[in-house]
């Protein structure tokens, strides 16, 4: 058999293995935009009318506005009837890869897991939806009880003492941490402390929020061999200007830094604050508590570990938990319980005030609460274990694929890992992006490559979580075998992928930003013929 | 969040032909690229070719097992370039004829200095000048560079080593952007791509108008020191080289890439200077440090070491003994600080191109007095730690470990330093 | 071997799977992998959290009984606004937002999330039409963070150090802005005309200078007044070389002059009124838009869905990859901004709302809010001892009522109204003491005349 025949035979074997569906075709409606379907004059009577008695008393108040304050021309929005609008959005939803649609384990660092529908229904109750955040406390005791309950659980899981749900996501949570660190040092007269240390294998929101809060950022890179930051490197970063450190455990690479408690100790010794980004909490939940490793504050992503749905990219919810010493700096209000009644307390002496509006993404707290109830401590432990088992099983199987390597191979990984297709790229010219486009052809969700900085070449970062079955992992691996075989025998198929998806790959051919239409009004101007 | 795959990379890397706005298929003007191959690069030429008969030295070098690499490397680049136009991993000669010859007008020197590999890769090159086959020298490289510049090359691609870069620089200075294809020797100059395939990518980015240009060091063996028995690299100047904007960190509003990234680093250094205004600030060579001087409105010695105090130039282009004398004379209470950057493609902080900053000078200033500045892109391109080779093992050990590097206005990284 | 937990949300807890997979990995127990966590950090205690998982029915029952302790605005007649407004939420919006694909999608790309990106592009487009601005971000967390982003943009673009803010601003919003502002700006406050609640132009002229990065305008204002001097404010700002940031309520833009009409550079606001139920303040949609100029688009700190060509001529890709490296995902700390998982589902919902209403519906929405609020203000203002609206001049859907003439404080009136099953306006007497015993009332198109009349009667009773 020639080399090519071997490749083809291998590919054929994996075609049968786990029934890779090469007959997959993405749903494709050639769906025009609402604008292109617009029928001028279509109106839908949705709003309640204005009663004649009202009109009689006040007249057309809007028309009485001075011209400069009044809208001069009607907006050029589309006009369609209700069923046409619904059809359009139903079709759009069919051309969207939701978690429930298939296999989303490729989206590493996202912690994609099943969002239980009972939680959606509970949070859609009028007892949640129809609440106003400024209602008197006595009328929202139910919501406050849930928020307080979730607060207790997060304190327990994180080894912390108080919680705020005001941040709307992980990045917002990191920003809250950075603001509290700033306020903490300001209160002590230490405004010269203007440096925050972070690491290159954490989410970009860590350095971004630190700098948004006015800090200089010192980034540490993981050691080539150990995948850890290293004491020496940290010491080179620490100075009398250190305000704090933003760390994460484990890293996005799946490596748990064995010296992390020592880093916390060194930063404390230097007078800094320790903040832990727990976006990757799913891998260590019930097995490790941030408070025990020395964290002063942590943030959780409720739309990651705690199962609230990702919503096409939000709304998520962040939760920031702090040790007692930092309670006074939390954004307000915090929820308190006096034994009989729940209260909102806005009188924290050094509060940073608000970082967002009202109390945060309350419905998602309800969903997270219901999820924790559904899991129990035993279930949380089980979930974390399965996130780790699924990931390690994935690692074992994926490394059998030709051309696939893993970063920091000598370190065990917890709930996710960063692979590399550098070898495959060198040998075939197929890049990780090509590979990913081809993956879409098999009905499997595309994977996350890597955050910046891309210290791993041609990266692939999947994360199975506990919601994935063994069969799902096998399917993912089988797809990789298939595409790898293609790369080595017929690279063109991969380099020009996708072939069976909704559209083909995009091209970035513009000289500057203003040439990309981000609204229909700009598209219309630049494409008058459609 | 997160999680976004880099779809952007795909079309860039696959080299798919960009759609032209307005549709249709207009014929783009052909772009002029010059090619120079130094056939003797990498065979220990410099040592052997000094003085005596060229042919005899070459034969001796081959007898010693030297392998000419530049031609093969250049061929690899040209094939990848042809492939980029055809949307394949590696182009065939047919691809080049079909696609790339339509887009590129290639000019080169005869035979082993470029015409051979160009034709093999399917190009139909304009051939300038004449050579004595098998006996080419640095003078031929210089003549080739001049001729290609006169012909109108928009970009000079050359395969060779530091000596080749220096010859090109001697001929055309910084007037034409260049892409160097490394020919397998240890190279200190910063004008070389990491490998032949990457060189092709840079050329393609340049042709597509997606690359920025930035100054890179031209370095070569210091002949005086060499005759005295020491091998040390000397900084000769700068040439401009394309870099892929997409891979550069910190692109800023309205002015993405290179020059403003250097400016960012400069702002970061200025912040340090502002915190220590009474100190004497010694500024080492390098474009990054020059950017600092630019922001201060100071005319800095491009290749040398200057001395600043309270925003004024106190001494320019100082050598080691002048520095030491100054350090000895200054008041105890006034600190001496030193701003250095990475010199050359190997990642040296000390020992290549800034030998005035000797072990004695470094010891007098102390590690705490150092301010290291570099773009993050440059650090990543090193693919490893920063290097020091001061000539004194103890000083090297003193500098080794981890050091803070200023990479932007508010940005620093900790990077490993090793001897 | 003891029976292992089998959980409905964890497929591999079916018996036998664990052993097979561990064998494949080559470890006897998952604890071997957890040894990556240093022994000193491994938590071995018992969590103070109920151990057993609960069945779905149990969870439903428990949550329902806790939530029953709430009295929602379905049961209480509410006139609370102040940043979270009780508009009508059409059925189609919830239907589309409940679609499983939209609900659970996340990081797909242009080739497999075409529908999601198309829907978000249409939201951006319709919002752009409403705002009369060309570049609209996909969504940021909420209106407050959107204004923080706008401020960061102004800082980066102009390099100037002063920010002019209206003194008439929600203190909560101001607090958040100061967190965003903190290191970059000195804040300069512009007074408002105590008669109209609009910006004091003389004071603005005095305070805008060549140090001003941006003038921050709110229209309508926190207290519901409409800013009729938008053209002058814009002129004053631009004459000083400053940017104009307009914070707006999308529900008003069917009738009020949109930011594009008075040359605002950046627009921000919250899209919650567009079909998103209040959800105890949880429903938020950060609106952020700017002019189509390089210096603006390059600093807009959020993903945007744009249209790019694909490898097939004539095919459109709706994608968020255009210029991705521009923001913090590409720049990390250099971006000096952040916004991660934000509000796309809400953006899609708002898109459905805008499509349902169309231009005529948006005009009707604006008119209706203004009329009903004006009716309420007129009727309340006719009551003895009650001043409403406190400010002269036009209002959108909120207005301030001063109860000082009745001898009662706002808090007393609110408590008394609550006893009658009415959630009164927000007590703003502490925030703006000069306005008296002041409450901020919100009336939307979703209040009926009889509900407003009931409020008027109740106020009459409690202030007797």
């Amino acid at each position: 058999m020639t080399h090519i025949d071997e490749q083809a035979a291998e590919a054929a074997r994996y075609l049968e293995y786990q029934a890779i569906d090469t007959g997959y075709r993405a749903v494709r409606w050639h769906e025009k935009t609402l604008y292109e379907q617009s029928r001028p004059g279509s109106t839908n009577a949705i709003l309640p009318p204005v009663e004649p008695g009202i009109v009689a008393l006040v007249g057309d108040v809007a028309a009485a506005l001075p011209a400069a304050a009044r809208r001069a021309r009607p907006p050029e929005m589309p006009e369609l009837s209700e069923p046409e609008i619904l059809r359009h959005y139903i079709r759009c939803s069919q051309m969207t890869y939701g978690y429930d649609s298939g296999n989303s384990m490729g989206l590493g660092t996202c912690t994609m897991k099943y969002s239980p529908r009972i939680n959606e229904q509970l949070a859609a109750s009028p007892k949640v939806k129809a609440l106003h955040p400024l209602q008197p406390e006595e009328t929202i005791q139910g919501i406050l009880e849930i928020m307080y309950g979730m607060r207790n659980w997060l304190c327990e899981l994180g080894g912390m003492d108080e919680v705020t749900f005001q941040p709307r996501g992980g990045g917002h949570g990191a920003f809250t941490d950075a603001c509290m660190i700033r306020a903490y040092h300001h209160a002590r007269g230490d405004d010269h402390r203007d440096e925050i240390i972070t690491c290159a294998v954490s989410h970009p929101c860590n350095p971004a929020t630190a700098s948004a809060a006015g800090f200089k950022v010192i980034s540490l890179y993981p050691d080539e061999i150990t995948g850890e930051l290293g004491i020496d490197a940290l010491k080179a970063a620490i100075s009398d200007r250190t305000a704090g450190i933003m760390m994460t455990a484990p890293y996005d690479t799946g490596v748990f830094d064995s010296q992390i408690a020592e880093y916390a100790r060194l930063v404390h010794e230097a007078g800094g604050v320790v903040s832990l980004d727990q976006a990757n909490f799913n891998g260590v939940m019930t097995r490790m508590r941030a408070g025990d490793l020395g964290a002063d504050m942590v943030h959780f992503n409720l739309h990651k570990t705690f199962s609230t749905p990702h919503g096409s990219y939000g709304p998520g919810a962040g939760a920031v938990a702090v040790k007692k010493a930092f309670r006074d700096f939390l954004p307000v209000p915090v929820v308190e319980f006096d034994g009989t009644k729940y209260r909102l307390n806005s009188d924290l002496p050094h509060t940073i005030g608000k970082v967002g509006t009202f109390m945060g993404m309350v419905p998602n707290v309800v969903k997270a609460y219901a999820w924790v109830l559904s899991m129990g401590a035993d279930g949380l432990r089980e979930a974390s274990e399965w996130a780790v088992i699924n990931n390690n099983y994935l690692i074992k199987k994926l490394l059998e694929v030709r051309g696939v390597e893993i970063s920091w191979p000598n370190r065990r990984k917890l709930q996710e890992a960063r692979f590399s297709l550098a070898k495959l790229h060198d040998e075939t010219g197929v890049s990780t992006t090509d590979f990913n486009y081809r993956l879409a052809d098999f009905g499997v969700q595309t994977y996350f490559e890597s955050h910046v900085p891309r210290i791993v070449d041609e990266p692939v970062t999947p994360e199975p979580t506990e919601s994935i079955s063994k069969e799902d992992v096998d399917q993912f691996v089988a797809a990789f075998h298939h595409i790898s075989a293609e790369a080595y025998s017929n690279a063109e198929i991969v380099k020009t992928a996708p072939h069976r998806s909704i559209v083909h790959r995009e091209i970035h051919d513009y000289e500057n930003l203003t040439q990309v239409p981000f609204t229909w009004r700009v598209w219309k101007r630049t494409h008058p013929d459609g | 969040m997160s999680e976004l795959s880099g779809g952007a990379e795909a079309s860039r890397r696959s080299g798919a032909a960009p759609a032209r706005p307005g549709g249709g298929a207009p014929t783009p003007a052909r772009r002029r690229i010059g090619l120079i191959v130094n056939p003797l690069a990498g065979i220990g030429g410099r040592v052997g070719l000094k003085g005596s008969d060229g042919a005899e030295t070459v034969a001796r070098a081959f007898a010693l097992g030297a392998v000419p690499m530049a031609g093969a490397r250049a061929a690899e680049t040209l094939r990848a370039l042809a492939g980029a136009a055809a949307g394949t991993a590696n182009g065939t000669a047919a691809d080049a004829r079909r696609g790339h010859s339509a887009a590129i007008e290639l000019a080169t020197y005869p035979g082993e200095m470029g015409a051979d590999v160009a034709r093999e890769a399917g190009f139909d090159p304009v051939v300038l000048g004449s050579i004595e086959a098998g006996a080419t020298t640095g003078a031929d490289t210089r003549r080739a560079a001049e001729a290609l510049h006169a012909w109108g090359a928009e970009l000079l691609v050359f395969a060779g080593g530091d000596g080749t870069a220096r010859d090109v620089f001697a001929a055309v200075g910084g007037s034409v952007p260049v892409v160097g294809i490394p020919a397998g020797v240890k190279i200190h100059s910063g004008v070389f791509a990491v490998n032949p395939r990457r060189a092709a990518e840079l050329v393609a980015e340049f042709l597509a108008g997606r690359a920025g240009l930035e100054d890179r060091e031209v370095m070569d063996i210091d002949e005086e020191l060499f005759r005295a028995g020491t091998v040390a690299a000397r900084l000769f100047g700068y040439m401009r080289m394309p870099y892929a904007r997409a891979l550069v960190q910190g692109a800023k509003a309205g002015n993405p890439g290179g020059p403003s990234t250097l400016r960012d680093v400069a702002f970061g250094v200025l912040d340090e200077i502002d915190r220590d205004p009474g100190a004497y600030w010694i500024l080492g060579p390098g474009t990054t440090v020059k950017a600092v001087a630019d922001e201060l409105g100071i005319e800095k010695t491009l290749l040398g070491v200057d001395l600043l105090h309270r925003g004024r130039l106190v001494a320019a282009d100082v050598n080691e003994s002048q520095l030491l004398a100054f350090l000895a004379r200054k008041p105890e209470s006034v600190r001496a600080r030193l701003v250095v950057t990475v010199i050359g493609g190997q990642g040296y902080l000390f020992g290549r191109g800034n030998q005035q900053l000797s072990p004695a000078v470094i010891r007098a200033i102390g590690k705490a007095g150092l301010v290291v500045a570099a773009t993050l892109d440059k650090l990543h391109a090193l693919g490893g730690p920063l290097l020091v080779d001061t000539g004194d093992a103890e000083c090297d050990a003193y500098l080794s470990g981890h050091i803070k590097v200023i990479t932007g206005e508010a940005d620093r990284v900790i990077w490993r330093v090793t001897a | 071997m003891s029976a292992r937990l089998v959980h409905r949300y964890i497929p591999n807890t079916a018996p036998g799977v664990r052993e097979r997979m561990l064998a494949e990995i080559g470890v006897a127990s998952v604890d071997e992998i957890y040894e990556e966590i240093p022994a000193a950090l491994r938590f071995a205690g018992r969590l103070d959290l109920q151990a057993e998982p609960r069945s779905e029915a149990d969870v439903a029952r428990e949550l329902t009984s806790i939530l029953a302790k709430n009295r929602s605005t379905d049961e209480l007649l509410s006139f609370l606004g102040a940043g979270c407004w009780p508009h009508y939420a059409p059925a189609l919006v919830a239907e589309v937002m409940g679609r499983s694909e939209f609900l659970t999608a996340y990081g797909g790309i242009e080739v497999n999330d075409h529908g999601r990106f198309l829907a978000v592009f249409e939201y951006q487009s319709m919002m752009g039409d409403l705002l009369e601005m060309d570049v609209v971000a996909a969504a940021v967390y909420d209106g407050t963070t959107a204004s923080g982003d706008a401020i960061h943009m102004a800082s980066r673009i102009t390099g100037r150090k002063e920010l002019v803010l209206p003194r008439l601003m929600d203190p909560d919003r101001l607090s958040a802005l100061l967190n965003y502002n903190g290191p970059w700006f000195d804040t300069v406050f512009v007074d408002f005309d105590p008669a109209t609640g609009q910006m004091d132009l003389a004071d603005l002229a005095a305070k805008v200078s060549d140090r001003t990065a941006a003038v921050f305008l709110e229209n309508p204002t926190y207290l519901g007044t409409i800013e009729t001097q938008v053209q002058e404010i814009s002129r004053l700002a631009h004459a000083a070389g400053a940017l104009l940031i307009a914070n707006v309520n999308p529900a008003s833009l069917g009738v009020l002059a949109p930011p594009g009409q008075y040359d605002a550079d950046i627009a921000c606001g919250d899209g919650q009124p567009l079909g998103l139920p209040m959800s105890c303040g949880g429903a938020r949609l950060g609106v952020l838009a700017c002019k189509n100029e390089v210096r603006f688009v390059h600093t807009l700190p959020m993903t945007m869905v744009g249209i790019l060509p694909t490898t097939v001529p004539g095919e459109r890709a709706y994608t968020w990859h255009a210029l991705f490296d521009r923001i913090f995902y590409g720049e990390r700390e250099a971006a000096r901004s952040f916004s991660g998982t934000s509000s796309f589902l809400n953006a899609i919902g708002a898109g459905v709302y805008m499509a349902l209403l169309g231009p005529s519906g948006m005009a009707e929405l604006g008119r209706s809010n203004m009329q009903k609020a004006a009716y309420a203000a007129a009727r309340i203002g006719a009551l003895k001892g009650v001043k409403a609206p406190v400010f002269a001049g036009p209002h959108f859907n909120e207005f301030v009522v001063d109860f000082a003439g009745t001898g009662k404080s706002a808090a007393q009136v609110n408590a008394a109204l609550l006893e009658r099953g009415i959630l009164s306006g927000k007590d703003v007497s502490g925030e703006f003491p000069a306005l008296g015993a002041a409450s901020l009332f919100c009336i939307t198109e979703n209040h009926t005349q009889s509900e407003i009349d009931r409020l008027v009667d109740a106020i009459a009773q409690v202030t007797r």
Side-chain angles (χ1 to χ4, degrees), chain A residues 108-110 194 203 216-221 224 232 241 313 431 433 436-437 447-448 451-452 458 505 509, chain B residues 1-6 8 10-11 13 18-19 87 249 271 275 376 380 402 404 410-414 416:
Chain A
T109 79
C110 304
D194 66 349
H203 193 279
K216 304 212 183 332
V217 177
I218 306 178
S219 297
L220 303 175
Y221 281 74
E224 296 111 56
D232 280 340
R241 282 155 60 177
Y313 203 61
S431 70
T433 306
N436 210 7
Y437 274 126
Y447 54 75
F448 177 56
H451 282 308
V452 170
E458 306 300 327
R505 66 169 74 184
D509 183 40
Chain B
M1 143 179 186
S2 337
E3 301 27 77
L4 308 143
S5 345
S11 43
R13 293 229 204 95
Q249 309 270 331
D271 192 65
R275 288 171 188 270
L376 196 56
H380 281 307
H402 289 89
K404 195 187 318 189
D411 323 309
R412 287 100 177 86
V413 301
I414 302 296
R416 216 155 50 86

Side-chain angles (χ1 to χ4, degrees), chain A residues 426-445:
Chain A
D426 278 342
E427 293 173 351
T428 67
V430 168
S431 70
T432 187
T433 306
D434 294 328
F435 203 98
N436 210 7
Y437 274 126
R438 184 59 175 147
L439 190 62
D441 283 338
F442 295 95
V444 175
Q445 174 64 293

Side-chain angles (χ1 to χ4, degrees), chain B residues 1-9 12 16 19 246 248-256 264 376 407 409-413, chain C residues 106-110 156 294-295 298-299 303 309-311 320-321 324-326 329-336 340-341:
Chain B
M1 143 179 186
S2 337
E3 301 27 77
L4 308 143
S5 345
E9 305 289 350
R12 275 193 280 272
V248 168
Q249 309 270 331
K252 284 292 210 221
N255 194 10
D264 269 336
L376 196 56
T407 53
E409 188 176 352
D411 323 309
R412 287 100 177 86
V413 301
Chain C
Y106 200 44
I109 57 179
E110 81 280 19
R156 285 186 71 172
V294 171
R295 61 187 177 138
H298 233 307
T299 54
T303 54
T310 74
T311 51
W320 59 3
H321 279 142
F324 211 69
D325 298 327
R326 175 182 47 84
Y329 281 119
E331 297 191 359
R332 291 178 73 98
E333 58 269 19
R336 206 198 294 164
T341 305

Side-chain angles (χ1 to χ4, degrees), chain C residues 182-200:
Chain C
W184 313 115
F185 283 117
D186 302 317
T187 312
V188 174
F189 289 97
V190 181
D191 292 325
F192 58 94
D193 179 342
T196 62
Q198 297 184 34
M199 208 175 255
D200 180 338

Side-chain angles (χ1 to χ4, degrees), chain C residues 167-252:
Chain C
R167 205 178 291 282
L168 202 172
M169 184 184 270
D170 181 347
D172 280 350
R173 169 197 276 286
L174 177 61
S175 164
L177 287 186
L178 291 178
N179 272 317
Y180 276 81
N181 248 4
W184 313 115
F185 283 117
D186 302 317
T187 312
V188 174
F189 289 97
V190 181
D191 292 325
F192 58 94
D193 179 342
T196 62
Q198 297 184 34
M199 208 175 255
D200 180 338
L201 286 191
D203 199 35
L204 177 65
K207 294 196 169 146
V208 168
S209 72
D210 59 9
R211 287 186 312 278
T212 307
V215 172
F216 192 91
L217 159 71
E218 296 200 326
N219 187 23
T221 67
Y222 167 55
L223 298 180
T225 54
I226 292 174
E227 187 54 80
T228 58
Q229 313 161 104
V230 284
Q231 296 289 354
E232 289 86 86
I233 294 168
S234 178
R235 232 192 23 244
L236 279 167
H238 290 127
L243 302 180
L244 179 65
I245 300 173
N247 187 79
V248 296
N249 180 346
S252 71

